[in-house]
Amino acid sequence: MEKNALFSIIHALCEKNSIKGIKHQAFIDRFIGNAQLLHYLFSQLYSKREDFDPVFYQMLEVIVKAYTERDSQFLKRDEQKQKEGTWFLNRDLVGMSLYVDRFAGSLSTMPEKLEYLKELGISLVHLMPLFESPKGASDGGYAVSNYRVINKRFGTLDDLKTLQQSLQAKEMYMMIDIVLNHTSNQHEWANKARQGDAYYQDFYYTYDDRSIPDQMEITMPDVFPESSPGSFSYDEKMNKWVMSVFHNYQWDLNFKNPQVLKIMLDTIFFYANLGVDILRIDAPAFIWKQMGTTCQNLPEAHTILQFIKVAVEVATPGMAILGEAIVAPKQILEYFGKGFFTNHECDLAYNATQMALQWDALATTDTRNMLANQHTILQKPNGTTWINYTRCHDDIGLGFEDYYIEQIGYNPYLHREYLKNYLGGRLVSSPSSGDLFGVNPKTNDARISGTLASLCGLEKAINKNDTEAIQTSIDKILLMQANSVLLGGIPMIFYGDEFGYTNDYSYLEDPGKSYDNRWMHRPKIDWKKNAKVKVNGTVENRIFKGLQALLKIRKKHTVFNDSNNVQWLESQNRSVVGFKRTLKEKQVFCLFNYSPEPQNLTFYAFHSIKNEVKKLYNLYDDSYTAIGKDHEFLSFKPYQFYVFLAEKK
Ligand code: GLC
């Protein structure tokens, strides 16, 4: 479309919706400024369609509607965030991911728990899926049957709005999910499709027989090989096969149909206008499908995300986008956008590679794989940031590159076997108690379930009543947290991990959950146990206090803002890994011993600062260490870490 014609359309659309005058100038400027980009991205996806122009116009209408429906307080917040610059790079942001019902009971009792979260140092709350989802076939809420009605179990939309206001009053941020890739097979659209409505059948990938599904399955990996093998399910009523990449009750949306993108964009804005600060886009790697491919990470999936990002930047710019792409390390980076679109796709992504590498280091006591992979991880573009975490509601995948494993001298297959055995409860001598998830007999792939505490040995230690082993597991938990809290990005704590919840096996008694052992690490909080965080010397208290101290350090020092200022130190001791964070004159060294044995590191590790710096101040325990000669040693206790501020005097 010719530039001026496009601008005229936008001006007319704004006029029609009474968007004129100085008050709206910033929006109009953003809209006009991005119009060609929106058009370009949309044409990358749909230019071959005859209805391209009217459908594109409908997209512009969705954007205008989002802006006109935006509450004035959120418009102000947008402005404020824009003034702050890239607000989500700030060290103040520390998240917790939680299920409202399992953590607080309901949305209406959530506000009472905010003080507890604040006390720990949390400023961002990720509310796990809240919208309607059928009982027993919900995938923890990731099978949505209504995107606009809150599941009764949690409360109402008004309760969510009240919670948002309580968060905002406490200067806390809210994050929720949009499940873009699929709906529940009980969503109204699925029901209409089932009844034979062709309009809604086109919302999904439906086939009369198995010929196309059979061909596609040749190249599509199984996501849940145990509970839902294959990527298609047969629907009796419709008498058709439907694509269902995840569980058979999760039907994949067909983004080749622009009406799907339109309705999901409108839903994204509905969430933005609830005051969401960070929108977690669930499973974005899967949103475009193509015969003969893995149907993951396809270029069109990126184009859709870029289109969403630009639309959000125009209408609701205060909402940042997090892409939940748990894919190979190099592919994760592409979700930040590449080439011209660098920094114009997802603002945030999960640092799934680093997370898995920390477990790798803990299980092997060898940090070289972690260090080698930084070559990739550090390519994160300026202005974007990581979500760093040790555990979340999902399993731990070991999807890092074989190449680096080989480089450090291990056989990738045997290496992964060892990790699965050690963490996944298959090795009697291992202190970890986890389980294998998603075991695929065809590929021998498997991931790992278990809470942070159980995987760090706390469950076995408590069962044996072994005081020393309990202390060791606490040290491991805090080492893991320290590594992810001090790195560049937003730490995301998983609820329950802040005070050492061990695996909960009660899911086995619930038929809606028993087929999915990820529920073992999704505890129901017992606030009596939780009260122990205040009782000095308890396990809960030691873990909580340690994490709280780490979060305080992070908050206090500007060096922890994410300005891509992480520099990993050369390896001298394979069990000790470390990085330096620098801001102008200030330098902080974070060093981690992943071994159950004491370790030494020569002071040569600090050679870059040795001429100016005399002392290292440990921010974690308020102690000083004088820098020794190059051949002298800094000693580590088992699983000890240091957070050293380099001091000149
Ligand atoms: C995401 C969620 C996971 C869910 C899947 C399918 O990966 O984190 O819990 O099973 O998407 O929606």
Side-chain angles (χ1 to χ4, degrees):
M1 187 182 287
E2 207 255 314
K3 189 166 106 186
N4 290 341
L6 181 60
F7 292 171
S8 311
I9 290 173
I10 289 178
H11 275 300
L13 195 56
C14 287
E15 288 260 327
K16 194 171 141 196
N17 287 278
S18 311
I19 302 173
K20 49 188 162 189
I22 189 79
K23 195 169 151 215
H24 299 292
Q25 199 52 49
F27 167 75
I28 299 170
D29 288 349
R30 289 198 302 270
F31 207 1
I32 293 285
N34 284 294
Q36 284 179 292
L37 202 51
L38 285 166
H39 189 267
Y40 168 76
L41 290 165
F42 201 70
S43 68
Q44 294 292 301
L45 298 163
Y46 306 114
S47 63
K48 294 205 176 86
R49 293 182 64 100
E50 275 178 12
D51 60 354
F52 179 87
D53 283 342
V55 179
F56 181 65
Y57 186 76
Q58 289 171 21
M59 296 287 168
L60 300 180
E61 285 179 321
V62 170
I63 293 174
V64 167
K65 176 171 159 262
Y67 176 70
T68 53
E69 287 176 356
R70 195 148 179 82
D71 196 287
S72 60
Q73 59 165 327
F74 299 140
L75 289 171
K76 244 189 239 147
R77 224 163 127 85
D78 288 342
E79 249 175 64
Q80 208 180 308
K81 282 179 180 165
Q82 275 175 318
K83 264 189 219 140
E84 271 173 43
T86 318
W87 60 276
F88 47 82
L89 302 183
N90 198 297
R91 67 197 182 282
D92 280 353
L93 264 90
V94 175
M96 180 179 277
S97 217
L98 55 87
Y99 292 95
V100 162
D101 56 338
R102 299 174 88 74
F103 179 77
S106 70
L107 279 168
S108 60
T109 47
M110 236 342 262
E112 295 162 22
K113 305 293 184 207
L114 298 185
E115 262 319 297
Y116 166 80
L117 295 180
K118 273 216 104 163
E119 201 186 321
L120 175 61
I122 302 297
S123 56
L124 160 71
V125 184
H126 172 207
L127 305 166
M128 296 293 290
L130 294 166
F131 289 87
E132 274 188 354
S133 178
K135 197 164 188 274
S138 85
D139 189 19
Y142 285 103
V144 181
S145 49
N146 191 324
Y147 287 94
R148 309 231 171 182
V149 178
I150 300 272
N151 194 327
K152 272 196 223 88
R153 249 171 351 109
F154 304 126
T156 64
L157 204 57
D158 280 340
D159 293 335
L160 179 59
K161 288 181 186 166
T162 309
L163 173 58
Q164 189 281 329
Q165 290 291 299
S166 311
L167 285 163
Q168 198 170 303
K170 289 188 179 300
E171 294 180 351
M172 295 171 87
Y173 297 95
M174 182 166 93
M175 166 164 145
I176 69 168
D177 285 79
I178 174 93
V179 187
L180 215 55
N181 180 64
H182 45 258
T183 72
S184 151
N185 65 352
Q186 293 176 47
H187 192 284
E188 189 195 353
W189 307 331
N191 283 333
K192 288 191 172 154
R194 203 175 271 125
Q195 283 153 18
D197 185 330
Y199 181 80
Y200 287 103
Q201 283 185 355
D202 200 25
F203 268 45
Y204 301 97
Y205 293 91
T206 57
Y207 305 95
D208 292 334
D209 57 41
R210 284 272 333 168
S211 53
I212 294 179
D214 279 345
Q215 282 181 56
M216 290 191 82
E217 275 183 356
I218 297 172
T219 50
M220 290 173 83
D222 274 4
V223 178
F224 295 136
E226 293 160 307
S227 55
S228 267
S231 300
F232 296 84
S233 335
Y234 178 66
D235 186 81
E236 247 176 59
K237 271 208 184 134
M238 190 163 54
N239 187 24
K240 277 183 193 286
W241 289 87
V242 191
M243 187 184 288
S244 56
V245 168
F246 289 86
H247 292 100
N248 51 18
Y249 54 76
Q250 288 165 306
W251 287 8
D252 287 62
L253 283 166
N254 170 18
F255 280 89
K256 289 188 176 163
N257 174 357
Q259 291 306 322
V260 169
L261 179 56
K262 187 182 114 187
I263 212 159
M264 294 316 280
L265 185 65
D266 196 41
T267 313
I268 286 172
F269 285 136
F270 174 71
Y271 293 169
N273 283 339
L274 293 172
V276 169
D277 297 288
I278 301 182
L279 184 71
R280 177 189 185 274
I281 298 192
D282 185 61
F286 295 82
I287 57 181
W288 196 268
K289 318 292 193 303
Q290 199 61 55
M291 170 77 80
T293 72
T294 57
C295 295
Q296 292 182 30
N297 306 309
L298 294 178
E300 292 85 350
H302 289 284
T303 307
I304 292 175
L305 293 172
Q306 288 153 7
F307 183 80
I308 291 172
K309 172 67 192 159
V310 178
V312 165
E313 240 164 40
V314 171
T316 59
M319 184 172 76
I321 304 281
L322 160 63
E324 188 249 349
I326 311 299
V327 293
K330 283 199 183 104
Q331 279 161 342
I332 296 181
L333 283 167
E334 298 200 347
Y335 288 83
F336 291 122
K338 59 176 183 182
F340 175 79
F341 288 97
T342 305
N343 201 352
H344 279 291
E345 197 173 316
C346 296
D347 302 298
L348 307 105
Y350 283 93
N351 202 349
T353 312
Q354 172 65 23
M355 180 276 295
L357 289 164
Q358 288 186 201
W359 287 109
D360 178 320
L362 198 74
T364 61
T365 76
D366 188 339
T367 62
R368 289 175 306 160
N369 197 18
M370 187 194 301
L371 195 56
N373 273 274
Q374 300 309 322
H375 181 65
T376 308
I377 298 176
L378 289 175
Q379 290 170 32
K380 172 177 76 63
N382 281 333
T384 61
T385 199
W386 292 116
I387 294 284
N388 288 312
Y389 62 119
T390 57
R391 288 301 291 114
C392 70
H393 69 289
D394 280 332
D395 43 284
I396 302 168
L398 304 173
F400 34 67
E401 313 281 359
D402 284 356
Y403 169 76
Y404 293 120
I405 306 178
E406 277 161 4
Q407 204 181 62
I408 59 170
Y410 296 135
N411 171 309
Y413 174 79
L414 294 177
H415 186 73
R416 287 204 180 80
E417 280 302 294
Y418 172 76
L419 295 178
K420 285 188 288 178
N421 290 336
Y422 183 96
L423 297 167
R426 303 298 193 267
L427 202 66
V428 187
S429 59
S430 163
S432 285
S433 35
D435 204 350
L436 295 185
F437 173 76
V439 179
N440 188 335
K442 284 188 248 163
T443 58
N444 204 38
D445 276 346
R447 288 107 73 185
I448 291 137
S449 281
T451 67
L452 171 68
S454 285
L455 292 174
C456 285
L458 188 60
E459 189 176 329
K460 282 194 182 168
I462 290 176
N463 289 344
K464 283 192 213 143
N465 205 4
D466 181 338
T467 330
E468 207 178 304
I470 291 177
Q471 186 54 48
T472 303
S473 62
I474 295 175
D475 294 342
K476 287 196 214 172
I477 291 170
L478 293 174
L479 172 87
M480 291 290 279
Q481 296 287 36
N483 201 155
S484 81
V485 161
L486 301 170
L487 257 179
I490 302 177
M492 184 65 76
I493 313 295
F494 190 59
Y495 81 110
D497 288 349
E498 82 278 17
F499 62 103
Y501 245 95
T502 52
N503 291 341
D504 175 355
Y505 299 100
S506 64
Y507 77 97
L508 289 166
E509 282 133 46
D510 179 342
K513 298 193 171 95
S514 56
Y515 60 88
D516 187 342
N517 71 19
R518 289 177 299 173
W519 285 101
M520 75 165 59
H521 54 251
R522 299 171 180 176
K524 190 160 177 358
I525 297 302
D526 169 1
W527 285 87
K528 274 198 207 117
K529 174 175 163 61
N530 178 296
K532 291 195 197 153
V533 302
K534 295 246 172 276
V535 183
N536 266 338
T538 59
V539 170
E540 291 80 0
N541 170 269
R542 282 182 276 164
I543 298 175
F544 188 89
K545 267 192 155 165
L547 181 58
Q548 191 181 40
L550 283 165
L551 298 181
K552 272 202 186 126
I553 293 173
R554 187 186 144 89
K555 201 164 177 175
K556 190 163 169 200
H557 298 274
T558 44
V559 77
F560 293 109
N561 289 337
D562 186 10
S563 54
N564 273 353
N565 61 345
V566 175
Q567 201 183 336
W568 289 74
L569 306 176
E570 293 159 47
S571 171
Q572 297 180 27
N573 174 332
R574 62 170 64 177
S575 290
V576 178
V577 74
F579 50 80
K580 177 166 87 166
R581 300 206 53 183
T582 314
L583 184 73
K584 293 181 191 148
E585 297 282 276
K586 210 164 186 174
Q587 309 194 62
V588 173
F589 286 77
C590 309
L591 299 150
F592 311 90
N593 173 19
Y594 274 88
S595 162
E597 306 292 333
Q599 296 292 331
N600 290 322
L601 193 73
T602 63
F603 281 100
Y604 178 74
F606 304 94
H607 69 274
S608 64
I609 53 161
K610 273 190 66 180
N611 290 337
E612 336 133 34
V613 171
K614 295 283 166 279
K615 272 186 297 187
L616 299 168
Y617 173 51
N618 188 352
L619 297 168
Y620 190 62
D621 69 1
D622 282 326
S623 64
Y624 279 96
T625 300
I627 296 195
K629 302 213 170 71
D630 273 0
H631 62 278
E632 289 174 342
F633 292 118
L634 169 70
S635 303
F636 289 76
K637 294 188 196 120
Y639 300 116
Q640 189 182 0
F641 63 85
Y642 289 110
V643 198
F644 281 141
L645 177 67
E647 290 204 347
K648 294 204 166 171
K649 292 175 268 167

Coordinates of all heavy atoms in Angstrom, one line a residue, residues 55 82 186 331 362 464 493 498:
V55 N -8.9 -7.2 5.8 CA -8.4 -7.8 7.1 C -7.4 -6.9 7.8 O -7.4 -6.8 9.0 CB -7.9 -9.2 6.8 CG1 -7.4 -9.9 8.1 CG2 -9.0 -10.1 6.2
Q82 N 7.7 4.9 29.9 CA 8.5 5.4 28.8 C 9.5 6.4 29.2 O 10.6 6.4 28.7 CB 7.6 5.9 27.7 CG 7.0 4.8 26.8 CD 6.0 5.3 25.8 OE1 5.2 6.2 26.1 NE2 6.1 4.8 24.6
Q186 N -12.7 -27.6 24.7 CA -14.0 -27.3 25.1 C -14.3 -25.8 25.0 O -15.3 -25.3 25.5 CB -14.2 -27.8 26.6 CG -14.2 -29.3 26.6 CD -14.3 -29.9 28.0 OE1 -15.1 -29.5 28.8 NE2 -13.5 -30.9 28.3
Q331 N 18.3 -20.7 19.4 CA 17.0 -20.3 18.9 C 16.3 -19.5 19.9 O 15.5 -18.6 19.6 CB 16.2 -21.6 18.6 CG 16.5 -22.1 17.2 CD 16.2 -23.6 17.0 OE1 16.0 -24.3 18.0 NE2 16.2 -24.0 15.8
L362 N 25.6 -28.6 39.1 CA 25.3 -29.2 40.4 C 25.5 -30.7 40.4 O 26.0 -31.3 41.3 CB 23.9 -28.8 40.9 CG 23.7 -28.9 42.4 CD1 24.4 -27.8 43.2 CD2 22.2 -28.9 42.7
K464 N 16.1 -38.8 56.3 CA 17.1 -39.5 57.1 C 17.4 -38.8 58.4 O 18.3 -39.3 59.1 CB 18.4 -39.6 56.2 CG 18.4 -40.6 55.1 CD 19.8 -40.8 54.6 CE 19.7 -41.1 53.1 NZ 20.8 -40.5 52.3
I493 N 11.4 -16.3 41.1 CA 11.4 -17.4 42.1 C 10.1 -18.2 41.9 O 9.1 -17.6 41.7 CB 11.4 -16.7 43.5 CG1 12.5 -15.6 43.7 CG2 11.6 -17.8 44.6 CD1 13.9 -16.0 43.5
E498 N 11.0 -20.5 48.1 CA 11.6 -19.5 49.0 C 11.8 -20.0 50.4 O 12.5 -19.5 51.3 CB 10.8 -18.2 49.0 CG 9.6 -18.1 49.8 CD 8.3 -18.7 49.2 OE1 8.5 -19.5 48.2 OE2 7.2 -18.5 49.7

